[in-house]
Amino acid sequence: MGRGRVELKRIENKVNRQVTFAKRRNGLLKKAYELSILCDAEVAAIVFSSRGSLFEFCSSSSTLKTIERYRRCSHHASESMVPTNDTPTCYQEYLKLKTHVGYLQHSQKNLLGEDLDTLNIKELDQLDDQIEMSLRLIRSTKTQVVIDQLTNLKREEEMLLESNKTLRRKLQEVDAENSIQLPSQIRASDCINEPPQREKFFEPLMCHPSLQIGLSQASTDPSSGGGTMSRNVNGFDAAWI
């Protein structure tokens, strides 16, 4: 009974995934070795595991030589592409843009202080002048930005001072109105708090010291008649009248 077809998808089980990786890796490297021996071909195989481990096979003396050979072949292949008769202008434009991009990349590296060993004195002087001009432009732009910010801040300061003056003037007007209204309010409050005057009809009579109810001073005077009450002409006591 033959093996069933294996579904190509990621193996979720970690142990099974590692076992499968080891088997397939060994099989791939073995096939590369057999291909180089049987067909006298230059074969290079590079494999990285999920953990970052490197496994490689190369039929030549060095994998780097094979990779460099691949780069040269791919570069020459892209440049030796024969354009179709319909798009010769586009291909010429592509080559110009590619050259310009390479020049810009090289110039950018020089401005960053890289790859300066290949430059001569004249090119270094030109690079120095270009950097100095760029610095002047940057400083000029920075100065202009600072001046604009200071101008805006000065304008905002003047607006705030004007608003402060307006508020102070309004506050003085309110204080002046309060100082005028305060005396009249005080007089009105005094009139409200003053007790009402009683009418003369209900004014209480002041008691005269000589008016007494009961015994008179003369009847109680011990010096007159040995302390006996005096009688009036009708024979009644004066204290009971």
Side-chain angles (χ1 to χ4, degrees):
M1 185 176 180
R3 293 179 57 186
R5 186 174 181 180
V6 179
E7 185 179 1
L8 294 179
K9 68 176 184 178
R10 185 177 182 273
I11 301 174
E12 300 297 334
N13 191 303
K14 186 176 181 180
V15 177
N16 295 339
R17 186 167 62 248
Q18 292 294 333
V19 173
T20 304
F21 172 77
K23 291 182 179 180
R24 298 282 179 130
R25 178 200 64 205
N26 294 334
L28 176 62
L29 298 180
K30 182 181 178 181
K31 292 294 184 183
Y33 170 74
E34 293 176 354
L35 179 62
S36 64
I37 296 298
L38 295 175
C39 301
D40 194 18
E42 185 177 354
V43 181
I46 300 174
V47 180
F48 287 96
S49 67
S50 59
R51 296 182 179 180
S53 301
L54 172 63
F55 303 94
E56 61 178 338
F57 167 79
C58 184
S59 60
S60 64
S61 59
S62 174
T63 307
L64 294 177
K65 292 182 179 180
T66 304
I67 294 175
E68 187 64 27
R69 181 180 178 184
Y70 165 75
R71 288 179 177 176
R72 288 197 304 267
C73 291
S74 60
H75 181 70
H76 290 319
S78 61
E79 288 186 351
S80 61
M81 259 191 327
V82 179
T84 59
N85 296 328
D86 298 335
T87 58
T89 306
C90 295
Y91 183 72
Q92 294 292 334
E93 188 69 20
Y94 161 74
L95 293 178
K96 290 180 181 180
L97 291 176
K98 185 178 180 180
T99 305
H100 186 62
V101 168
Y103 172 76
L104 292 177
Q105 290 177 351
H106 184 68
S107 301
Q108 183 180 7
K109 290 182 179 180
N110 293 335
L111 291 174
L112 294 176
E114 300 176 359
D115 296 342
L116 299 178
D117 298 335
T118 58
L119 301 179
N120 53 25
I121 298 297
K122 184 177 179 180
E123 292 175 344
L124 290 174
D125 290 338
Q126 292 177 355
L127 182 62
D128 190 9
D129 295 339
Q130 185 178 359
I131 293 175
E132 187 65 28
M133 184 181 300
S134 300
L135 286 175
R136 285 198 298 268
L137 292 176
I138 291 171
R139 290 167 183 167
S140 176
T141 305
K142 179 182 177 181
T143 304
Q144 186 64 35
V145 170
V146 172
I147 292 174
D148 294 340
Q149 290 181 355
L150 291 176
T151 304
N152 294 332
L153 291 175
K154 186 67 177 179
R155 188 181 301 109
E156 292 178 0
E157 181 184 5
E158 293 176 355
M159 293 174 62
L160 291 175
L161 291 175
E162 187 66 25
S163 301
N164 191 11
K165 291 180 180 179
T166 303
L167 292 175
R168 185 177 298 175
R169 185 167 55 252
K170 290 182 179 180
L171 183 59
Q172 292 176 355
E173 294 176 356
V174 171
D175 291 340
E177 292 178 358
N178 292 336
S179 63
I180 295 174
Q181 295 178 359
L182 186 59
S184 60
Q185 292 178 357
I186 293 176
R187 289 195 297 271
S189 62
D190 292 340
C191 294
I192 293 173
N193 296 328
E194 182 179 357
Q197 297 182 358
R198 298 178 180 177
E199 297 181 2
K200 293 183 179 181
F201 182 79
F202 295 100
E203 184 176 357
L205 297 175
M206 299 299 293
C207 295
H208 197 276
S210 61
L211 296 178
Q212 295 182 357
I213 300 175
L215 297 176
S216 63
Q217 185 177 4
S219 61
T220 59
D221 190 1
S223 62
S224 61
T228 59
M229 293 186 297
S230 61
R231 298 177 181 271
N232 58 7
V233 294
N234 294 326
F236 297 98
D237 295 333
W240 298 100
I241 297 176

